[in-house]
Amino acid sequence: MSADMEGVTGLVGAQDVQAGGQDYQQGRVMMTEDVNAAVRGALAAGATRVLVNDAHSSMRNLLADQMHPEAELVRGKPKRMGMLEGLDGDFDAVLCVGYHSRAGALGVLSHSSMGHEIEDMWLDDQPMGEIGFAHATAAALGVPVVMLSGDDAACQEVTAWDAQVVTAPVKYAMDRFSARLRPAIEARKAIEEAAA
């Protein structure tokens, strides 16, 4: 499981997702809860091992002491595989939690790569951001991406890569820093069901 932060339930601005931001500590709680919902869904579906990679910024965002007790956590950096650290061909599936759309898309906190310097990336004539990069990397290792949560733009972006991916939209982008939010309980239920 790869966990980013911009697509997490309730989060819409830099203050929510950047260390030192006014609402960052609450953002960490929200991120951990979204990840735990996905872990519950994966376990309910029969997963025997869940490895969660904290994939946002410093990669030290998830609250280790509040993580689901059956999930292993990869935290900190540098990581050779970045957002997909720990993934190899022995895994059955990749789940992406809290993902966002690429730069140029009308999505909450949209950008194409950590650091935000990259405006455009392309693969086989298709524009891509972190979603496309994760999908292509997992495919190269023979592991399908099966689920993604984030805003509606992120969900549409992943299904353009692979219509089989089950999505859980937790918010609906109005602009880059605003969204109509699903209630947290409802959003986490959607994440758990999508993961299952």
Side-chain angles (χ1 to χ4, degrees):
M1 190 174 300
S2 176
D4 206 353
M5 198 168 189
E6 291 89 352
V8 164
T9 300
L11 308 186
V12 296
Q15 294 293 317
D16 298 329
V17 301
Q18 291 177 351
Q22 177 179 340
D23 297 316
Y24 172 67
Q25 292 306 320
Q26 179 60 27
R28 295 177 73 199
V29 172
M30 300 293 277
M31 180 184 187
T32 304
E33 289 300 317
D34 278 15
V35 167
N36 284 340
V39 171
R40 288 191 303 272
L43 293 171
T48 57
R49 177 181 180 217
V50 178
L51 179 67
V52 177
N53 180 34
D54 189 330
H56 176 72
S57 188
S58 68
M59 301 185 176
R60 297 178 59 228
N61 308 282
L62 289 165
L63 300 170
D65 64 337
Q66 295 179 29
M67 288 288 298
H68 193 289
E70 294 184 55
E72 297 174 72
L73 176 60
V74 179
R75 190 168 189 257
K77 66 189 216 183
K79 295 176 181 169
R80 185 178 60 84
M81 291 284 291
M83 295 181 77
L84 294 175
E85 182 63 38
L87 181 63
D88 61 35
D90 292 336
F91 283 89
D92 295 315
V94 172
L95 290 76
C96 298
V97 178
Y99 267 60
H100 56 82
S101 58
R102 64 180 177 80
L106 180 61
V108 176
L109 295 164
S110 58
H111 60 276
S112 287
S113 181
M114 190 185 310
H116 307 259
E117 308 83 30
I118 297 174
E119 291 186 26
D120 284 305
M121 295 189 293
W122 298 80
L123 179 63
D124 295 335
D125 297 325
Q126 186 170 350
M128 64 182 271
E130 293 174 8
I131 290 171
F133 189 78
H135 189 274
T137 302
L141 294 171
V143 184
V145 173
V146 298
M147 176 268 183
L148 180 136
S149 71
D151 72 358
D152 57 323
C155 292
Q156 292 168 7
E157 188 171 319
V158 77
T159 56
W161 282 97
D162 184 347
Q164 301 300 309
V165 177
V166 178
T167 62
V170 299
K171 53 194 169 191
Y172 300 89
M174 297 169 63
D175 208 313
R176 192 156 182 255
F177 303 106
S178 60
R180 179 172 50 88
L181 307 176
R182 289 179 81 172
I185 291 172
E186 178 184 308
R188 294 202 181 104
K189 181 178 182 209
I191 291 169
E192 187 170 345
E193 289 174 354

